[in-house]
Amino acid sequence: MMEKKAADLLNKYLSAVPLVAILRGVTPDEVLDVSRVLIGHGIRVIEVPLNSPDPFESIRRLGEALGDQCLHGAGTVLTPADVDRVADASGRLIVTPNSDVSVIRRAVERGLVPFPGFMTPTEAFAAIGAGARHIKLFPAATVGTGHLKAIKAVLPREVGVYAVGGVGAAEMESWRQAGAVGFGIGSEIYQPGRDLAEIDRRTAALVAACAKG
């Protein structure tokens, strides 16, 4: 039931604004202010990569302060043990750079939504078979839109494919035409040391570009 609720929220939020914010390097002291900017522009799916400073504390603070306004969780999740720590910190989203079926299955077992990365059809179908219904082509820019278009032809229609890695506002339309239903955005929104006014400006531009599709 918990997983269905989280999955329903993910679908709801991404249907409105199909962007996942990747806050790599964010600290616990700034994560709430940055996330409020994102939420103010309609981005409600927020990922704190586990190679950020004290990521579980950031995830915990997000859950306590903004858990009713966003679907938050972790990125760069590499092991089932990481899944457990994210769940225990209040996270509900598990984003991975790869298609590790043990991680995906553990996310499903804990009631979290898996969002794994893939590059090949074999990886995509392994992720789907383990329970993923949202998958990300990563890194997207290194393989291009033609690669996605070819893979989309054989994937189940109900599986949403997102382009992540080297995709920004200028590239969104070409990726949409190739079959991407949304995007993961990292450094184009957030980088350590970037002030809130700049994050606000960049977020507004990305949401506007996404809305043109």
Side-chain angles (χ1 to χ4, degrees):
M1 178 65 72
M2 181 179 172
E3 183 205 351
K4 186 177 187 303
K5 182 179 179 182
D8 289 344
L9 278 176
L10 183 68
N11 289 328
K12 175 183 175 181
Y13 291 153
L14 291 177
S15 293
V17 179
L19 297 176
V20 178
I22 304 165
L23 305 184
R24 192 176 307 280
V26 74
T27 67
D29 288 341
E30 63 181 335
V31 69
L32 295 182
D33 287 339
V34 172
S35 296
R36 287 186 178 104
V37 171
L38 300 172
I39 292 168
H41 287 286
I43 297 179
R44 295 180 179 268
V45 183
I46 300 172
E47 165 193 341
V48 178
L50 292 187
N51 53 2
S52 302
D54 204 355
F56 299 104
E57 177 61 15
S58 290
I59 292 166
R60 185 189 67 78
R61 293 188 188 187
L62 271 172
E64 287 183 352
L66 300 172
D68 61 341
Q69 300 177 51
C70 68
L71 186 75
H72 72 292
T76 319
V77 180
L78 302 178
T79 69
D82 285 339
V83 175
D84 289 334
R85 292 191 67 188
V86 173
D88 293 343
S90 81
R92 294 181 288 175
L93 177 69
I94 295 294
V95 184
T96 74
N98 58 346
S99 296
D100 187 322
V101 297
S102 68
V103 172
I104 298 167
R105 286 172 179 157
R106 188 57 179 161
V108 173
E109 289 170 2
R110 289 298 305 263
L112 281 63
V113 181
F115 209 130
F118 79 96
M119 186 170 281
T120 68
T122 298
E123 293 168 341
F125 280 106
I128 294 166
R133 293 298 174 266
H134 299 81
I135 58 178
K136 68 177 194 181
L137 178 61
F138 177 80
T142 62
V143 290
T145 55
H147 184 79
L148 174 59
K149 187 174 182 179
I151 291 178
K152 277 284 292 184
V154 298
L155 293 180
R157 290 179 179 270
E158 67 271 17
V159 174
V161 180
Y162 292 71
V164 182
V167 179
E171 296 81 31
M172 285 181 179
E173 183 54 34
S174 62
W175 281 99
R176 265 193 291 256
Q177 291 178 8
V181 297
F183 309 92
I185 305 292
S187 59
E188 194 160 339
I189 289 179
Y190 172 83
Q191 285 185 342
R194 183 171 287 160
D195 64 37
L196 290 177
E198 179 68 5
I199 293 170
D200 182 83
R201 183 189 69 78
R202 288 171 172 269
T203 303
L206 280 161
V207 171
C210 193
K212 292 179 181 178

Short mmCIF file of all heavy atoms in Angstrom, two decimals, residues 158-212:
data_model
loop_
_atom_site.label_atom_id
_atom_site.label_comp_id
_atom_site.label_asym_id
_atom_site.label_seq_id
_atom_site.Cartn_x
_atom_site.Cartn_y
_atom_site.Cartn_z
N GLU A 158 3.57 1.27 -20.82
CA GLU A 158 3.28 1.84 -19.51
C GLU A 158 4.54 2.24 -18.72
O GLU A 158 4.44 2.82 -17.64
CB GLU A 158 2.46 0.85 -18.67
CG GLU A 158 3.18 -0.42 -18.28
CD GLU A 158 3.05 -1.54 -19.30
OE1 GLU A 158 2.67 -1.26 -20.46
OE2 GLU A 158 3.33 -2.70 -18.94
N VAL A 159 5.70 1.92 -19.26
CA VAL A 159 6.95 2.27 -18.58
C VAL A 159 7.42 3.64 -19.06
O VAL A 159 7.62 3.86 -20.26
CB VAL A 159 8.03 1.20 -18.84
CG1 VAL A 159 9.38 1.65 -18.26
CG2 VAL A 159 7.61 -0.13 -18.24
N GLY A 160 7.59 4.57 -18.12
CA GLY A 160 8.05 5.90 -18.48
C GLY A 160 9.56 5.95 -18.54
O GLY A 160 10.25 5.50 -17.62
N VAL A 161 10.09 6.50 -19.63
CA VAL A 161 11.54 6.61 -19.81
C VAL A 161 11.94 8.07 -19.73
O VAL A 161 11.38 8.93 -20.43
CB VAL A 161 11.98 6.01 -21.16
CG1 VAL A 161 13.50 6.13 -21.31
CG2 VAL A 161 11.56 4.55 -21.26
N TYR A 162 12.92 8.34 -18.89
CA TYR A 162 13.41 9.70 -18.65
C TYR A 162 14.84 9.82 -19.14
O TYR A 162 15.62 8.88 -19.02
CB TYR A 162 13.31 10.04 -17.15
CG TYR A 162 11.89 10.14 -16.69
CD1 TYR A 162 11.08 9.01 -16.58
CD2 TYR A 162 11.32 11.38 -16.41
CE1 TYR A 162 9.75 9.10 -16.21
CE2 TYR A 162 9.98 11.48 -16.03
CZ TYR A 162 9.21 10.34 -15.94
OH TYR A 162 7.89 10.43 -15.58
N ALA A 163 15.16 10.98 -19.68
CA ALA A 163 16.52 11.24 -20.15
C ALA A 163 17.27 12.00 -19.07
O ALA A 163 16.84 13.06 -18.62
CB ALA A 163 16.48 12.06 -21.44
N VAL A 164 18.41 11.45 -18.67
CA VAL A 164 19.18 12.03 -17.56
C VAL A 164 20.66 12.00 -17.90
O VAL A 164 21.18 10.98 -18.35
CB VAL A 164 18.95 11.24 -16.25
CG1 VAL A 164 19.72 11.89 -15.10
CG2 VAL A 164 17.47 11.13 -15.92
N GLY A 165 21.31 13.15 -17.70
CA GLY A 165 22.74 13.21 -17.94
C GLY A 165 23.06 13.97 -19.22
O GLY A 165 22.97 13.41 -20.31
N GLY A 166 23.39 15.25 -19.06
CA GLY A 166 23.73 16.06 -20.22
C GLY A 166 22.54 16.57 -21.00
O GLY A 166 22.69 16.99 -22.15
N VAL A 167 21.36 16.53 -20.40
CA VAL A 167 20.14 17.02 -21.06
C VAL A 167 19.64 18.24 -20.30
O VAL A 167 19.38 18.17 -19.10
CB VAL A 167 19.04 15.95 -21.10
CG1 VAL A 167 17.79 16.50 -21.77
CG2 VAL A 167 19.54 14.70 -21.82
N GLY A 168 19.53 19.37 -21.01
CA GLY A 168 19.02 20.59 -20.39
C GLY A 168 17.87 21.17 -21.19
O GLY A 168 17.30 20.51 -22.07
N ALA A 169 17.56 22.41 -20.92
CA ALA A 169 16.40 23.05 -21.56
C ALA A 169 16.50 23.03 -23.08
O ALA A 169 15.51 22.80 -23.77
CB ALA A 169 16.27 24.49 -21.05
N ALA A 170 17.68 23.27 -23.61
CA ALA A 170 17.84 23.37 -25.06
C ALA A 170 17.62 22.03 -25.77
O ALA A 170 17.30 22.01 -26.96
CB ALA A 170 19.23 23.92 -25.39
N GLU A 171 17.80 20.94 -25.05
CA GLU A 171 17.71 19.61 -25.68
C GLU A 171 16.38 18.91 -25.43
O GLU A 171 16.12 17.83 -25.97
CB GLU A 171 18.84 18.71 -25.17
CG GLU A 171 20.24 19.16 -25.52
CD GLU A 171 20.76 20.25 -24.58
OE1 GLU A 171 20.37 20.25 -23.40
OE2 GLU A 171 21.52 21.10 -25.05
N MET A 172 15.52 19.48 -24.61
CA MET A 172 14.32 18.76 -24.19
C MET A 172 13.42 18.34 -25.35
O MET A 172 12.92 17.21 -25.39
CB MET A 172 13.52 19.61 -23.20
CG MET A 172 14.13 19.66 -21.81
SD MET A 172 13.11 20.67 -20.70
CE MET A 172 14.06 20.50 -19.18
N GLU A 173 13.21 19.22 -26.29
CA GLU A 173 12.26 18.92 -27.36
C GLU A 173 12.72 17.73 -28.19
O GLU A 173 11.92 16.85 -28.54
CB GLU A 173 12.03 20.14 -28.23
CG GLU A 173 10.99 19.92 -29.34
CD GLU A 173 9.66 19.41 -28.82
OE1 GLU A 173 9.25 19.79 -27.69
OE2 GLU A 173 9.01 18.63 -29.55
N SER A 174 14.00 17.67 -28.53
CA SER A 174 14.49 16.55 -29.34
C SER A 174 14.39 15.23 -28.58
O SER A 174 14.07 14.19 -29.17
CB SER A 174 15.93 16.80 -29.80
OG SER A 174 16.79 16.90 -28.69
N TRP A 175 14.60 15.27 -27.29
CA TRP A 175 14.45 14.06 -26.49
C TRP A 175 12.99 13.65 -26.36
O TRP A 175 12.66 12.45 -26.36
CB TRP A 175 15.09 14.25 -25.12
CG TRP A 175 16.59 14.11 -25.17
CD1 TRP A 175 17.51 15.10 -25.23
CD2 TRP A 175 17.32 12.87 -25.21
NE1 TRP A 175 18.78 14.58 -25.30
CE2 TRP A 175 18.69 13.21 -25.28
CE3 TRP A 175 16.96 11.53 -25.17
CZ2 TRP A 175 19.70 12.24 -25.33
CZ3 TRP A 175 17.96 10.57 -25.22
CH2 TRP A 175 19.30 10.93 -25.29
N ARG A 176 12.11 14.62 -26.24
CA ARG A 176 10.68 14.29 -26.19
C ARG A 176 10.25 13.60 -27.49
O ARG A 176 9.49 12.64 -27.47
CB ARG A 176 9.85 15.55 -25.96
CG ARG A 176 9.51 15.81 -24.50
CD ARG A 176 8.44 16.88 -24.38
NE ARG A 176 8.95 18.17 -24.76
CZ ARG A 176 9.28 19.13 -23.90
NH1 ARG A 176 9.16 18.94 -22.61
NH2 ARG A 176 9.72 20.30 -24.33
N GLN A 177 10.72 14.11 -28.60
CA GLN A 177 10.37 13.52 -29.88
C GLN A 177 10.88 12.08 -30.00
O GLN A 177 10.30 11.26 -30.71
CB GLN A 177 10.90 14.38 -31.02
CG GLN A 177 10.20 15.72 -31.15
CD GLN A 177 10.77 16.58 -32.26
OE1 GLN A 177 11.61 16.13 -33.05
NE2 GLN A 177 10.33 17.82 -32.34
N ALA A 178 11.97 11.79 -29.30
CA ALA A 178 12.53 10.43 -29.32
C ALA A 178 11.82 9.49 -28.36
O ALA A 178 12.06 8.28 -28.40
CB ALA A 178 14.01 10.49 -28.99
N GLY A 179 10.97 10.05 -27.48
CA GLY A 179 10.20 9.19 -26.59
C GLY A 179 10.38 9.42 -25.11
O GLY A 179 9.74 8.75 -24.30
N ALA A 180 11.22 10.37 -24.73
CA ALA A 180 11.37 10.66 -23.30
C ALA A 180 10.12 11.33 -22.77
O ALA A 180 9.58 12.24 -23.41
CB ALA A 180 12.59 11.56 -23.08
N VAL A 181 9.67 10.91 -21.60
CA VAL A 181 8.49 11.53 -21.00
C VAL A 181 8.87 12.55 -19.94
O VAL A 181 8.01 13.26 -19.40
CB VAL A 181 7.55 10.48 -20.38
CG1 VAL A 181 7.02 9.54 -21.46
CG2 VAL A 181 8.24 9.70 -19.27
N GLY A 182 10.15 12.64 -19.62
CA GLY A 182 10.60 13.60 -18.64
C GLY A 182 12.11 13.59 -18.53
O GLY A 182 12.80 12.90 -19.29
N PHE A 183 12.62 14.33 -17.54
CA PHE A 183 14.06 14.56 -17.46
C PHE A 183 14.52 14.63 -16.01
O PHE A 183 13.79 15.10 -15.14
CB PHE A 183 14.41 15.89 -18.16
CG PHE A 183 13.84 15.99 -19.54
CD1 PHE A 183 12.60 16.57 -19.75
CD2 PHE A 183 14.51 15.45 -20.63
CE1 PHE A 183 12.05 16.64 -21.02
CE2 PHE A 183 13.96 15.51 -21.89
CZ PHE A 183 12.73 16.10 -22.10
N GLY A 184 15.74 14.19 -15.79
CA GLY A 184 16.41 14.44 -14.53
C GLY A 184 17.42 15.55 -14.75
O GLY A 184 18.21 15.50 -15.69
N ILE A 185 17.36 16.57 -13.90
CA ILE A 185 18.19 17.75 -14.09
C ILE A 185 19.05 17.97 -12.84
O ILE A 185 18.52 18.07 -11.73
CB ILE A 185 17.34 19.01 -14.34
CG1 ILE A 185 16.38 18.80 -15.52
CG2 ILE A 185 18.23 20.22 -14.56
CD1 ILE A 185 17.07 18.67 -16.86
N GLY A 186 20.36 18.05 -13.05
CA GLY A 186 21.26 18.24 -11.94
C GLY A 186 21.91 19.60 -11.94
O GLY A 186 21.35 20.58 -11.44
N SER A 187 23.09 19.70 -12.55
CA SER A 187 23.89 20.92 -12.45
C SER A 187 23.26 22.12 -13.13
O SER A 187 23.61 23.26 -12.82
CB SER A 187 25.29 20.69 -13.03
OG SER A 187 25.22 20.31 -14.38
N GLU A 188 22.31 21.90 -14.03
CA GLU A 188 21.64 23.05 -14.65
C GLU A 188 20.73 23.77 -13.65
O GLU A 188 20.41 24.94 -13.83
CB GLU A 188 20.85 22.62 -15.88
CG GLU A 188 20.43 23.80 -16.73
CD GLU A 188 20.08 23.44 -18.16
OE1 GLU A 188 20.52 22.38 -18.65
OE2 GLU A 188 19.38 24.23 -18.80
N ILE A 189 20.34 23.06 -12.58
CA ILE A 189 19.58 23.69 -11.50
C ILE A 189 20.49 24.02 -10.32
O ILE A 189 20.57 25.16 -9.88
CB ILE A 189 18.44 22.79 -11.01
CG1 ILE A 189 17.32 22.69 -12.05
CG2 ILE A 189 17.85 23.32 -9.70
CD1 ILE A 189 16.18 21.79 -11.64
N TYR A 190 21.16 22.99 -9.82
CA TYR A 190 21.88 23.16 -8.56
C TYR A 190 23.34 22.76 -8.69
O TYR A 190 23.67 21.73 -9.30
CB TYR A 190 21.24 22.29 -7.46
CG TYR A 190 22.06 22.29 -6.19
CD1 TYR A 190 21.93 23.32 -5.26
CD2 TYR A 190 23.01 21.30 -5.96
CE1 TYR A 190 22.72 23.35 -4.12
CE2 TYR A 190 23.80 21.32 -4.82
CZ TYR A 190 23.65 22.35 -3.91
OH TYR A 190 24.44 22.39 -2.80
N GLN A 191 24.20 23.57 -8.10
CA GLN A 191 25.60 23.23 -7.88
C GLN A 191 25.99 23.81 -6.52
O GLN A 191 25.47 24.86 -6.12
CB GLN A 191 26.51 23.82 -8.96
CG GLN A 191 26.45 23.09 -10.29
CD GLN A 191 27.47 23.64 -11.28
OE1 GLN A 191 27.99 24.74 -11.12
NE2 GLN A 191 27.76 22.87 -12.31
N PRO A 192 26.87 23.15 -5.79
CA PRO A 192 27.29 23.71 -4.50
C PRO A 192 27.82 25.14 -4.67
O PRO A 192 28.59 25.42 -5.60
CB PRO A 192 28.41 22.76 -4.07
CG PRO A 192 28.04 21.45 -4.70
CD PRO A 192 27.47 21.82 -6.04
N GLY A 193 27.36 26.02 -3.80
CA GLY A 193 27.79 27.41 -3.84
C GLY A 193 26.89 28.33 -4.65
O GLY A 193 27.02 29.55 -4.57
N ARG A 194 25.97 27.77 -5.41
CA ARG A 194 25.06 28.60 -6.20
C ARG A 194 23.99 29.20 -5.27
O ARG A 194 23.40 28.49 -4.46
CB ARG A 194 24.42 27.76 -7.29
CG ARG A 194 23.50 28.53 -8.23
CD ARG A 194 23.09 27.65 -9.40
NE ARG A 194 24.19 27.45 -10.34
CZ ARG A 194 24.25 26.45 -11.22
NH1 ARG A 194 23.27 25.56 -11.27
NH2 ARG A 194 25.27 26.35 -12.04
N ASP A 195 23.74 30.50 -5.41
CA ASP A 195 22.80 31.12 -4.49
C ASP A 195 21.35 30.86 -4.90
O ASP A 195 21.06 30.45 -6.02
CB ASP A 195 23.07 32.62 -4.32
CG ASP A 195 22.88 33.43 -5.60
OD1 ASP A 195 21.96 33.13 -6.39
OD2 ASP A 195 23.65 34.38 -5.82
N LEU A 196 20.44 31.13 -3.98
CA LEU A 196 19.03 30.81 -4.20
C LEU A 196 18.42 31.61 -5.34
O LEU A 196 17.55 31.09 -6.07
CB LEU A 196 18.23 31.05 -2.92
CG LEU A 196 18.48 30.08 -1.76
CD1 LEU A 196 17.68 30.49 -0.55
CD2 LEU A 196 18.13 28.65 -2.17
N ALA A 197 18.85 32.85 -5.52
CA ALA A 197 18.31 33.66 -6.62
C ALA A 197 18.65 33.04 -7.97
O ALA A 197 17.81 32.99 -8.88
CB ALA A 197 18.85 35.08 -6.54
N GLU A 198 19.87 32.52 -8.09
CA GLU A 198 20.27 31.88 -9.35
C GLU A 198 19.55 30.55 -9.54
O GLU A 198 19.13 30.21 -10.66
CB GLU A 198 21.78 31.67 -9.36
CG GLU A 198 22.32 30.98 -10.60
CD GLU A 198 22.23 31.82 -11.85
OE1 GLU A 198 21.81 33.00 -11.78
OE2 GLU A 198 22.56 31.30 -12.93
N ILE A 199 19.38 29.81 -8.46
CA ILE A 199 18.63 28.56 -8.54
C ILE A 199 17.19 28.84 -8.96
O ILE A 199 16.62 28.12 -9.79
CB ILE A 199 18.68 27.82 -7.19
CG1 ILE A 199 20.11 27.34 -6.92
CG2 ILE A 199 17.71 26.64 -7.17
CD1 ILE A 199 20.32 26.81 -5.51
N ASP A 200 16.61 29.88 -8.41
CA ASP A 200 15.24 30.27 -8.76
C ASP A 200 15.14 30.61 -10.25
O ASP A 200 14.22 30.15 -10.94
CB ASP A 200 14.83 31.46 -7.91
CG ASP A 200 13.40 31.90 -8.20
OD1 ASP A 200 12.47 31.29 -7.63
OD2 ASP A 200 13.21 32.85 -8.98
N ARG A 201 16.09 31.38 -10.74
CA ARG A 201 16.06 31.78 -12.15
C ARG A 201 16.20 30.57 -13.06
O ARG A 201 15.46 30.41 -14.05
CB ARG A 201 17.20 32.77 -12.43
CG ARG A 201 17.22 33.31 -13.86
CD ARG A 201 18.48 34.10 -14.16
NE ARG A 201 19.66 33.24 -14.20
CZ ARG A 201 19.97 32.47 -15.25
NH1 ARG A 201 19.17 32.42 -16.32
NH2 ARG A 201 21.06 31.74 -15.22
N ARG A 202 17.13 29.69 -12.73
CA ARG A 202 17.36 28.51 -13.56
C ARG A 202 16.17 27.55 -13.52
O ARG A 202 15.79 26.97 -14.55
CB ARG A 202 18.63 27.79 -13.09
CG ARG A 202 19.92 28.52 -13.44
CD ARG A 202 21.12 27.88 -12.76
NE ARG A 202 22.37 28.45 -13.24
CZ ARG A 202 23.07 28.00 -14.27
NH1 ARG A 202 22.64 26.91 -14.92
NH2 ARG A 202 24.18 28.57 -14.67
N THR A 203 15.59 27.39 -12.35
CA THR A 203 14.43 26.50 -12.22
C THR A 203 13.25 27.02 -13.04
O THR A 203 12.58 26.24 -13.74
CB THR A 203 14.03 26.36 -10.75
OG1 THR A 203 15.15 25.89 -9.99
CG2 THR A 203 12.88 25.40 -10.59
N ALA A 204 13.02 28.32 -12.97
CA ALA A 204 11.91 28.90 -13.75
C ALA A 204 12.12 28.65 -15.24
O ALA A 204 11.18 28.32 -15.97
CB ALA A 204 11.81 30.39 -13.46
N ALA A 205 13.35 28.83 -15.72
CA ALA A 205 13.64 28.64 -17.14
C ALA A 205 13.44 27.19 -17.56
O ALA A 205 12.90 26.90 -18.64
CB ALA A 205 15.06 29.10 -17.44
N LEU A 206 13.86 26.26 -16.72
CA LEU A 206 13.71 24.85 -17.06
C LEU A 206 12.25 24.43 -17.07
O LEU A 206 11.80 23.68 -17.96
CB LEU A 206 14.49 24.00 -16.05
CG LEU A 206 15.99 23.93 -16.32
CD1 LEU A 206 16.73 23.49 -15.06
CD2 LEU A 206 16.28 22.97 -17.47
N VAL A 207 11.49 24.88 -16.10
CA VAL A 207 10.06 24.53 -16.07
C VAL A 207 9.34 25.12 -17.27
O VAL A 207 8.48 24.48 -17.88
CB VAL A 207 9.42 25.01 -14.74
CG1 VAL A 207 7.92 24.85 -14.79
CG2 VAL A 207 10.00 24.24 -13.57
N ALA A 208 9.71 26.34 -17.65
CA ALA A 208 9.10 26.96 -18.83
C ALA A 208 9.45 26.16 -20.09
O ALA A 208 8.59 25.94 -20.96
CB ALA A 208 9.58 28.41 -18.97
N ALA A 209 10.70 25.74 -20.21
CA ALA A 209 11.11 24.97 -21.38
C ALA A 209 10.39 23.63 -21.42
O ALA A 209 9.97 23.15 -22.49
CB ALA A 209 12.62 24.75 -21.36
N CYS A 210 10.22 23.02 -20.26
CA CYS A 210 9.55 21.72 -20.18
C CYS A 210 8.08 21.85 -20.57
O CYS A 210 7.51 20.96 -21.21
CB CYS A 210 9.68 21.18 -18.77
SG CYS A 210 9.26 19.45 -18.60
N ALA A 211 7.47 22.97 -20.23
CA ALA A 211 6.05 23.18 -20.50
C ALA A 211 5.76 23.39 -21.99
O ALA A 211 4.61 23.28 -22.42
CB ALA A 211 5.54 24.38 -19.72
N LYS A 212 6.79 23.66 -22.79
CA LYS A 212 6.57 23.89 -24.22
C LYS A 212 6.29 22.63 -25.00
O LYS A 212 5.87 22.68 -26.13
CB LYS A 212 7.81 24.60 -24.80
CG LYS A 212 7.99 26.01 -24.28
CD LYS A 212 9.25 26.65 -24.87
CE LYS A 212 9.46 28.06 -24.33
NZ LYS A 212 10.71 28.68 -24.86
#
